[in-house]
Amino acid sequence: MSKDIKILVVEDDENLRFLAAMRLKTEGYQVLEEADGISAIQTITTEKPDIVLLDWMLPGKEGSEVCEEVRKNGFEGLVIMMTAKAQDVDKIDAYQFGASDYVTKPFSMDVLVAMLESKVKFLLNAERSEIHRFGNMEHHPNIHTLFRDGKKIELTILENRILLYFLRNPNQVISREDLMLEVWGYNSDVNTRTLDMHIVRLRKKIEVNPDNPQLLQTVRGVGYRFNVGS
Amino acid sequence: MSKDIKILVVEDDENLRFLAAMRLKTEGYQVLEEADGISAIQTITTEKPDIVLLDWMLPGKEGSEVCEEVRKNGFEGLVIMMTAKAQDVDKIDAYQFGASDYVTKPFSMDVLVAMLESKVKFLLNAERSEIHRFGNMEHHPNIHTLFRDGKKIELTILENRILLYFLRNPNQVISREDLMLEVWGYNSDVNTRTLDMHIVRLRKKIEVNPDNPQLLQTVRGVGYRFNVGS
DNA sequence: TTAAATTTTGAATGAGTGGTTAAATAATAA
DNA sequence: TTATTATTTAACCACTCATTCAAAATTTAA
């Protein structure tokens, strides 16, 4: 399996860092190393690794700060925090700083490798992401974005979800109930007006002439239908 | 209601699995059970269930792996992931592994049943996508649409219902009473003129020359007959 | 924290559909 | 032929459903 995955190990403990880097290299990963927060930020920015293994306690800058900062700069790779059990970081906290997951020290190299395996699989999967084309538009649901002739149109979370549902069920009548069930879940009590509102806004983004929708059409008394292809 | 839907529940927690299986059986589904990923893959391959309820965390193989693998083997049924809230899988992520939807644990059996209901409805709908052809026209009753040489003609709910009844009983004389019973039900008090009116409107949409109907013809004193070239 | 963006909601508006009436037309019977 | 009955059609009204608007509530970002 050709992984071709770049991992940055940020850890001030020489021994641990060396051990981890060694093992990851033998597993076939491309490995970079840093020992402090400042350098880590620089390396992440320039090298754009796929995964960052990041110690929680670092000289220079704390792991949480590093994580926050690179996220702000648009880094989208996975960040895995390494924390000592004593520090007892709540999982939630780690996520708050933009980390993707965490491991508690001490951990065996086998555990680390196993975890990375599953993360990598996830990465690879995410790459062959879903794209829907219709008319002169492209919908990339993963990044909540729509492109009209290459021009970017941002979608809100709900717009994205609604559009995705339509695109997965094109040329069919979708009842309001089904749509609301899909978007808001089973035990929600959102007003039906809300749905209308979102349809309106979605039309403004996808239709050439929103007053005379050609793609997202209403089927009176039944629901909506998204027309794709002939 | 004979559902005749086969559901496989894959869950290692005995209690939860038993509970779910129990409830689903009483709901009239045919239920299979597995406790680990390996067995699940085998059962899915041999039994080809319509729906798989799949735990995200499983011994042997993870839910995502199971999903990916059976998809690769050509399984086309619905896969619904069950995930703990803490795992916090984005809906989009679940889809990437080939899942059709997901529920977060803990969930009530009622929620589960409600969800499956809508999924099943969808399944059944997809199966019986009825289409009727006559002359140069195609009637797609599910989407309330008629195509004349590929050109779309929208039908209202009643037009759709009336036309469908005729197309299901072609080349026969349909009495006004039967038609009204079919369209408006038993305890309706609609005027018989109303029916005429709808026939007129329908003719305007389907006949080449509505003044001289060739398809939907009157049988004076009795009712109507829809002519379809044998 | 405040500000901005997003989502939700109730009320008002508007459009489309379905139903009725009554007059016009067609078919049948006397 | 005329009288009678059945059907077609147009015009109209009422009602439901969809849309829009404005504003409140909520979430997210700064």
Side-chain angles (χ1 to χ4, degrees), chain A:
Chain A
M1 178 192 180
S2 147
K3 285 172 189 168
D4 213 20
I5 297 285
K6 195 189 284 183
I7 301 182
L8 169 64
V9 181
V10 186
E11 168 63 62
D12 57 328
D13 177 342
E14 291 264 347
N15 279 330
L16 179 55
R17 189 177 75 238
F18 181 75
L19 202 67
M22 205 61 168
R23 173 64 187 272
L24 293 177
K25 274 175 196 158
T26 69
E27 291 289 333
Y29 296 103
Q30 189 184 337
V31 183
L32 306 171
E33 300 176 42
E34 287 299 347
D36 67 280
I38 310 281
S39 320
I41 291 176
Q42 211 155 40
T43 305
I44 292 169
T45 312
T46 57
E47 294 285 338
K48 297 190 200 315
D50 300 289
I51 302 177
V52 179
L53 263 175
L54 187 59
D55 190 22
W56 185 265
M57 300 273 281
L58 281 173
K61 265 185 196 293
E62 285 214 348
S64 56
E65 292 179 79
V66 173
C67 191
E68 259 188 308
E69 192 153 335
V70 296
R71 286 290 187 227
K72 221 175 281 172
N73 296 343
F75 176 66
E76 297 204 323
L78 296 180
V79 176
I80 296 168
M81 288 284 192
M82 300 183 286
T83 91
K85 197 154 202 171
Q87 295 170 242
D88 195 35
V89 185
D90 193 325
K91 195 163 199 171
I92 311 295
D93 287 349
Y95 287 127
Q96 229 132 47
F97 295 112
S100 316
D101 209 335
Y102 75 118
V103 282
T104 48
K105 292 196 275 193
F107 49 81
S108 76
M109 283 303 127
D110 286 342
V111 166
L112 182 64
V113 166
M115 173 187 215
L116 288 175
E117 284 277 310
S118 85
K119 294 291 170 191
V120 165
K121 194 167 357 146
F122 184 81
L123 268 184
L124 294 177
N125 246 308
E127 273 163 21
R128 67 168 123 86
S129 57
E130 187 176 6
I131 300 176
H132 293 274
R133 279 167 249 273
F134 57 99
N136 59 344
M137 314 206 77
E138 262 185 33
H139 181 213
H140 298 236
N142 294 306
I143 55 173
H144 296 208
T145 307
L146 197 62
F147 293 92
R148 160 176 282 147
D149 298 323
K151 214 181 125 241
K152 189 149 95 176
I153 303 171
E154 311 262 357
L155 295 176
T156 70
I157 292 169
L158 284 185
E159 286 166 349
N160 193 59
R161 206 180 297 169
I162 293 171
L163 179 58
L164 183 58
Y165 188 57
F166 276 117
L167 287 172
R168 281 181 175 153
N169 304 284
N171 303 317
Q172 306 176 35
V173 176
I174 310 287
S175 75
R176 300 175 106 70
E177 292 76 46
D178 284 354
L179 193 52
M180 295 185 73
L181 225 58
E182 174 72 17
V183 176
W184 285 277
Y186 293 87
N187 39 14
S188 100
D189 54 350
V190 283
N191 196 311
T192 183
R193 255 1 83 249
T194 306
L195 175 56
D196 300 338
M197 213 52 244
H198 285 284
I199 295 289
V200 168
R201 281 197 286 257
L202 195 49
R203 277 178 174 153
K204 285 198 180 133
K205 293 197 177 180
I206 65 174
E207 295 284 352
V208 176
N209 177 13
D211 294 333
N212 179 26
Q214 297 301 304
L215 293 164
L216 182 40
Q217 293 186 317
T218 96
V219 181
R220 180 161 237 271
V222 190
Y224 295 94
R225 183 189 51 227
F226 200 98
N227 300 313
V228 174
S230 59

Side-chain angles (χ1 to χ4, degrees), chain B residues 163-207:
Chain B
L163 179 57
L164 182 58
Y165 188 57
F166 277 118
L167 287 172
R168 280 178 175 162
N169 304 282
N171 305 316
Q172 312 173 28
V173 178
I174 310 283
S175 74
R176 301 176 103 72
E177 291 74 44
D178 284 354
L179 195 50
M180 295 187 71
L181 222 59
E182 173 72 17
V183 176
W184 285 278
Y186 290 91
N187 41 10
S188 94
D189 54 349
V190 284
N191 199 315
T192 186
R193 285 312 115 244
T194 304
L195 176 56
D196 302 338
M197 202 55 244
H198 284 285
I199 296 292
V200 169
R201 286 170 180 156
L202 192 50
R203 278 176 175 154
K204 283 193 180 143
K205 293 199 176 178
I206 65 174
E207 295 284 353

Side-chain angles (χ1 to χ4, degrees), chain B residues 143-178:
Chain B
I143 58 173
H144 297 225
T145 308
L146 198 61
F147 293 92
R148 161 176 282 146
D149 298 323
K151 214 181 126 243
K152 194 156 69 183
I153 303 171
E154 310 265 354
L155 297 176
T156 70
I157 293 174
L158 281 189
E159 286 165 351
N160 194 59
R161 204 180 299 166
I162 294 171
L163 179 57
L164 182 58
Y165 188 57
F166 277 118
L167 287 172
R168 280 178 175 162
N169 304 282
N171 305 316
Q172 312 173 28
V173 178
I174 310 283
S175 74
R176 301 176 103 72
E177 291 74 44
D178 284 354

